[in-house]
């Protein structure tokens, strides 16, 4: 099993979610985050006053999947999260040693389904 963590723009979430559903991803954790990278912030306007926004709003998606699904999910993320602009995000792949469903005490791949 692998844990896929990806950071994307909020504006592409609907398309990414639909693409993941087509790949069979039913379980997904979504967290609203803010980050800074090569974008180095931007200037915002509030009630006529300009201010520097150091962090850009992003979404962090987390899912645990079977090893066999990883490449298809990566491709879906690359296809639907990319705008071609700086700040499109990142994908991280981490190994998962074990998964346990608390309610039924199931372990392994059946616990993530």
């Amino acid at each position: 099993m692998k844990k896929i963590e990806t950071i994307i723009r909020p504006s592409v979430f609907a398309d990414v979610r639909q693409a993941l559903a087509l790949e069979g991803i039913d379980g997904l954790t979504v967290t609203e985050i803010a980050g800074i990278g090569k974008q180095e912030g931007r200037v915002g306007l509030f009630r006529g006053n300009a201010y520097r926004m150091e962090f850009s709003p992003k979404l962090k998606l987390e899912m645990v999947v079977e090893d066999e699904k990883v490449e298809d999910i990566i491709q879906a993320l690359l296809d639907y999260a990319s705008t071609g602009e700086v700040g499109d995000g990142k994908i991280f792949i981490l190994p998962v040693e074990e998964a346990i469903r608390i309610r039924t005490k199931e372990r392994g791949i059946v616990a993530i389904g």
Side-chain angles (χ1 to χ4, degrees):
M1 293 178 289
K2 300 283 191 243
K3 181 177 184 184
I4 300 175
E5 293 183 4
T6 186
I7 298 169
I8 62 171
R9 298 173 184 270
S11 61
V12 300
F13 176 70
D15 291 338
V16 168
R17 176 66 189 116
Q18 191 170 32
L20 292 173
L22 292 174
E23 293 298 333
I25 301 302
D26 300 328
L28 181 67
T29 300
V30 180
T31 309
E32 291 183 31
I33 62 170
I36 189 167
K38 289 186 179 180
Q39 293 168 265
E40 298 178 0
R42 55 193 166 109
V43 175
L45 193 61
F46 181 71
R47 295 185 179 176
N49 295 316
Y51 64 96
R52 184 152 179 82
M53 296 173 36
E54 292 293 324
F55 295 93
S56 298
K58 302 287 181 185
L59 293 177
K60 181 178 180 181
L61 313 181
E62 299 174 81
M63 63 206 92
V64 176
V65 302
E66 302 170 42
D67 291 339
E68 301 78 39
K69 291 185 176 185
V70 171
E71 286 304 318
D72 291 337
I73 292 167
I74 290 170
Q75 193 57 54
L77 291 168
L78 292 173
D79 290 345
Y80 290 92
S82 176
T83 66
E85 301 292 323
V86 172
D88 276 346
K90 300 276 190 287
I91 301 170
F92 304 99
I93 313 298
L94 303 116
V96 174
E97 289 186 32
E98 181 70 278
I100 303 165
R101 181 175 291 146
I102 294 172
R103 179 179 53 86
T104 62
K105 299 172 183 56
E106 294 171 298
R107 290 177 172 256
I109 207 71
V110 296
I112 65 169

